[in-house]
mmCIF file of all heavy atoms in Angstrom:
data_model
loop_
_atom_site.group_PDB
_atom_site.id
_atom_site.type_symbol
_atom_site.label_atom_id
_atom_site.label_comp_id
_atom_site.label_asym_id
_atom_site.label_seq_id
_atom_site.Cartn_x
_atom_site.Cartn_y
_atom_site.Cartn_z
ATOM 1 N N LYS A 265 58.914 121.089 84.007
ATOM 2 C CA LYS A 265 58.013 120.208 84.649
ATOM 3 C C LYS A 265 57.796 120.567 86.140
ATOM 4 O O LYS A 265 56.793 120.720 86.659
ATOM 5 C CB LYS A 265 58.395 118.770 84.525
ATOM 6 C CG LYS A 265 58.588 118.307 83.065
ATOM 7 C CD LYS A 265 59.055 116.942 83.057
ATOM 8 C CE LYS A 265 60.360 116.518 83.654
ATOM 9 N NZ LYS A 265 61.574 117.062 82.991
ATOM 10 N N SER A 266 59.077 120.581 86.791
ATOM 11 C CA SER A 266 59.031 120.896 88.218
ATOM 12 C C SER A 266 58.362 122.278 88.554
ATOM 13 O O SER A 266 57.618 122.482 89.486
ATOM 14 C CB SER A 266 60.412 120.756 88.828
ATOM 15 O OG SER A 266 60.899 119.524 88.722
ATOM 16 N N THR A 267 58.801 123.250 87.656
ATOM 17 C CA THR A 267 58.319 124.554 87.881
ATOM 18 C C THR A 267 56.805 124.527 87.818
ATOM 19 O O THR A 267 56.086 125.096 88.608
ATOM 20 C CB THR A 267 58.882 125.454 86.770
ATOM 21 O OG1 THR A 267 60.302 125.316 86.858
ATOM 22 C CG2 THR A 267 58.509 126.924 87.029
ATOM 23 N N GLN A 311 61.278 115.928 94.168
ATOM 24 C CA GLN A 311 62.254 115.279 93.292
ATOM 25 C C GLN A 311 63.460 114.910 94.269
ATOM 26 O O GLN A 311 64.127 113.822 94.079
ATOM 27 C CB GLN A 311 62.786 116.224 92.287
ATOM 28 C CG GLN A 311 63.587 115.664 91.245
ATOM 29 C CD GLN A 311 63.805 116.642 90.036
ATOM 30 O OE1 GLN A 311 63.263 117.718 90.016
ATOM 31 N NE2 GLN A 311 64.493 116.061 89.002
ATOM 32 N N ASP A 382 56.973 114.565 92.064
ATOM 33 C CA ASP A 382 58.016 114.862 91.069
ATOM 34 C C ASP A 382 59.074 113.772 91.066
ATOM 35 O O ASP A 382 59.789 113.521 92.007
ATOM 36 C CB ASP A 382 58.740 116.162 91.663
ATOM 37 C CG ASP A 382 59.552 116.856 90.509
ATOM 38 O OD1 ASP A 382 59.873 116.249 89.560
ATOM 39 O OD2 ASP A 382 59.910 118.043 90.695
ATOM 40 N N GLU A 383 58.978 113.000 90.021
ATOM 41 C CA GLU A 383 59.766 111.814 89.767
ATOM 42 C C GLU A 383 59.852 110.834 90.995
ATOM 43 O O GLU A 383 60.831 110.645 91.625
ATOM 44 C CB GLU A 383 61.243 112.174 89.529
ATOM 45 C CG GLU A 383 61.286 113.048 88.175
ATOM 46 C CD GLU A 383 62.664 113.142 87.626
ATOM 47 O OE1 GLU A 383 63.387 112.029 87.644
ATOM 48 O OE2 GLU A 383 63.010 114.217 87.182
ATOM 49 N N ILE A 414 55.328 113.451 87.614
ATOM 50 C CA ILE A 414 56.331 113.864 86.659
ATOM 51 C C ILE A 414 57.296 112.655 86.465
ATOM 52 O O ILE A 414 57.637 112.015 87.583
ATOM 53 C CB ILE A 414 57.236 114.990 87.148
ATOM 54 C CG1 ILE A 414 56.368 116.299 87.152
ATOM 55 C CG2 ILE A 414 58.473 115.264 86.269
ATOM 56 C CD1 ILE A 414 57.125 117.525 87.646
ATOM 57 N N HIS A 416 60.561 110.750 83.856
ATOM 58 C CA HIS A 416 61.290 110.640 82.558
ATOM 59 C C HIS A 416 61.093 109.370 81.879
ATOM 60 O O HIS A 416 61.530 109.170 80.742
ATOM 61 C CB HIS A 416 62.907 110.707 82.835
ATOM 62 C CG HIS A 416 63.291 112.109 83.104
ATOM 63 N ND1 HIS A 416 63.901 112.525 84.335
ATOM 64 C CD2 HIS A 416 63.242 113.192 82.309
ATOM 65 C CE1 HIS A 416 64.187 113.801 84.247
ATOM 66 N NE2 HIS A 416 63.901 114.206 83.046
ATOM 67 N N ARG B 1097 65.681 123.674 96.104
ATOM 68 C CA ARG B 1097 66.904 123.434 95.241
ATOM 69 C C ARG B 1097 68.109 123.811 96.029
ATOM 70 O O ARG B 1097 68.056 124.586 96.931
ATOM 71 C CB ARG B 1097 66.934 124.296 94.021
ATOM 72 C CG ARG B 1097 65.593 124.681 93.498
ATOM 73 C CD ARG B 1097 65.702 125.512 92.218
ATOM 74 N NE ARG B 1097 65.215 124.814 91.103
ATOM 75 C CZ ARG B 1097 65.982 124.457 90.103
ATOM 76 N NH1 ARG B 1097 67.311 124.806 90.084
ATOM 77 N NH2 ARG B 1097 65.533 123.867 89.073
HETATM 78 MG MG1 MG C 1535 62.478 118.659 87.861
#
Side-chain angles (χ1 to χ4, degrees):
Chain A
K265 305 179 296 289
S266 296
T267 306
Q311 192 168 1
D382 199 342
E383 299 198 42
I414 292 178
H416 279 119
Chain B
R1097 329 180 111 244

